[in-house]
Amino acid sequence: MSPSANGRTGQFSPFKFGLFGGLGVLLAWVIFLSLDTLRDTLIVIAIASLLAIGLDPAVSFLARRGLRRGVCVAIVMLSLLAALAGAVFAIIPPIVNEVSTFVVSIPTLLEDLQQNQTIKNLDAKFGLIDQVKNSSLFQNPSDAAGGIVTAGFTVAGIVFDLAVVLILTLYFLSGFHDIKKAAYRLAPGSKRARVSELGDVILKQMGGYLGGAFLIALQAGLVAGIFASIVGLPYPWAIALGAFVLDFVPVVGPIVVGISMMLIGFTQSLTIGIIAAAFYLCQHLFEAYWLYPRVMKRAVNISTGAVVVAIVIGSALLGVTGALLAVPVAAAIQLIVREVVFPLQEEA
């Protein structure tokens, strides 16, 4: 029994409690299923939002020079499209050419490997050469063709998602300040100034994250291009551009670059392929465990350990996209904890 608002006593009803409790659980389950269904769409929106935040400083820089914001947005987006198109046309033809050359040269490479004494000993114990020769690539060309078709659909899906991201980025960038003001108005009036202040700091840190990622990617492109020129790999400019573009994707991007350089090296000689693989392994370890955490610590004011932990957790939750969004999200959480949670704890 408990007193009601009008002074009368009310009786606890297990039926009502169970009914509303069950409805609450059902509503939570429906929300979960809806978010899980929209996960890919939400990820695309998040990437477009992050890209718009990163490009807004460039738009603001041009706007301060007296240009209208619409013109500034057009200049920035056209520059981005030109850079992407140039990278694609510089990278794709060499990749197609070298992969075709490598596939054709596989029998010759196998024959060369059979002449190596170490490979002979390993082949005698494990039958490596026979396993490669009996694989579906040689015995069932139709399976390989099916894999090519599947890869084609995957590439088409990536291109479609990229187009959606660019379109959303254009809209977000055009109305960036209006969207930001509308978001701040959702906060209570008494706390709106503080929310706006913290929001501006978070957006600045996200822009700093993209600036840091640009510097790291530029480093990766220069290192890959110089190494390709020194060891005599073909298409050094394409390799440099590919490393620069793919390095924006944490974890997976550098691995793809390293495998590509190794395969291109194998088309020249076995020694160059091994050297390329070893070199890019060292480069990846240097970038992932030394350069990346330190640059991000300066760019977004987040500790080195938090950067590594954020990337690991983001990769486990959402794969490549999670790794891409992990650092700015972790920086925002760290800022909120430092500026909001800790002061409340001190006052309690």
Side-chain angles (χ1 to χ4, degrees), residues 6-340:
N6 55 11
R8 295 181 299 178
T9 58
Q11 187 174 7
F12 173 75
S13 174
F15 175 77
K16 290 183 179 180
F17 179 80
L19 176 62
F20 287 107
L23 290 176
V25 172
L26 180 61
L27 179 61
W29 178 248
V30 171
I31 293 174
F32 169 77
L33 291 179
S34 300
L35 292 177
D36 186 62
T37 303
L38 297 173
R39 181 177 58 179
D40 294 339
T41 302
L42 295 176
I43 289 174
V44 169
I45 294 174
I47 294 175
S49 302
L50 181 61
L51 191 58
I53 292 170
L55 293 176
D56 183 68
V59 175
S60 300
F61 174 81
L62 294 176
R64 288 194 297 269
R65 298 300 183 271
L67 298 176
R68 294 175 56 187
R69 183 170 180 86
V71 176
C72 299
V73 171
I75 293 174
V76 171
M77 290 301 299
L78 289 176
S79 301
L80 178 62
L81 290 175
L84 290 176
V88 168
F89 282 109
I91 295 170
I92 298 301
I95 289 178
V96 173
N97 186 31
E98 291 302 320
V99 169
S100 301
T101 303
F102 177 72
V103 172
V104 172
S105 64
I106 286 178
T108 304
L109 290 175
L110 291 177
E111 295 296 332
D112 293 339
L113 289 175
Q114 287 177 316
Q115 305 303 318
N116 185 282
Q117 188 60 42
T118 303
I119 299 299
K120 284 183 178 180
N121 295 334
L122 292 175
D123 182 48
K125 291 181 179 180
F126 304 105
L128 299 178
I129 303 298
D130 291 335
Q131 290 182 20
V132 174
K133 289 183 176 180
N134 294 328
S135 65
S136 60
L137 181 64
F138 291 91
Q139 302 298 326
N140 298 312
S142 60
D143 293 343
I148 294 174
V149 173
T150 303
F153 280 111
T154 302
V155 171
I158 293 174
V159 171
F160 176 78
D161 289 340
L162 178 60
V164 173
V165 166
L166 292 175
I167 293 172
L168 289 177
T169 302
L170 175 62
Y171 282 109
F172 292 160
L173 199 57
S174 300
F176 185 80
H177 295 295
D178 294 334
I179 295 173
K180 185 172 66 173
K181 291 179 181 178
Y184 290 160
R185 290 189 64 183
L186 295 176
S190 58
K191 300 180 179 180
R192 191 169 300 160
R194 182 58 173 165
V195 171
S196 301
E197 180 183 355
L198 291 177
D200 289 340
V201 174
I202 291 173
L203 293 177
K204 183 179 179 181
Q205 286 191 345
M206 288 185 175
Y209 162 74
L210 288 181
F214 176 83
L215 293 178
I216 295 172
L218 182 63
Q219 169 270 151
L222 290 175
V223 169
I226 293 172
F227 174 79
S229 300
I230 292 175
V231 300
L233 293 180
Y235 316 110
W237 280 106
I239 292 174
L241 285 172
F244 170 75
V245 173
L246 291 174
D247 205 75
F248 280 97
V249 182
V251 182
V252 176
I255 294 176
V256 173
V257 174
I259 293 176
S260 301
M261 290 183 65
M262 180 186 67
L263 295 177
I264 294 175
F266 280 141
T267 62
Q268 306 302 307
S269 70
L270 180 62
T271 303
I272 292 179
I274 295 175
I275 291 174
F279 171 81
Y280 218 82
L281 176 62
C282 297
Q283 155 66 13
H284 177 56
L285 293 176
F286 163 76
E287 179 184 313
Y289 295 101
W290 191 88
L291 182 63
Y292 193 93
R294 283 164 175 77
V295 170
M296 288 305 163
K297 182 179 180 180
R298 289 177 174 270
V300 298
N301 191 25
I302 183 173
S303 62
T304 302
V307 170
V308 177
V309 172
I311 292 176
V312 171
I313 295 177
S315 302
L317 292 176
L318 296 175
V320 176
T321 306
L324 183 65
L325 300 175
V327 176
V329 171
I333 294 174
Q334 190 178 58
L335 176 66
I336 293 173
V337 170
R338 184 173 62 246
E339 298 293 335
V340 178

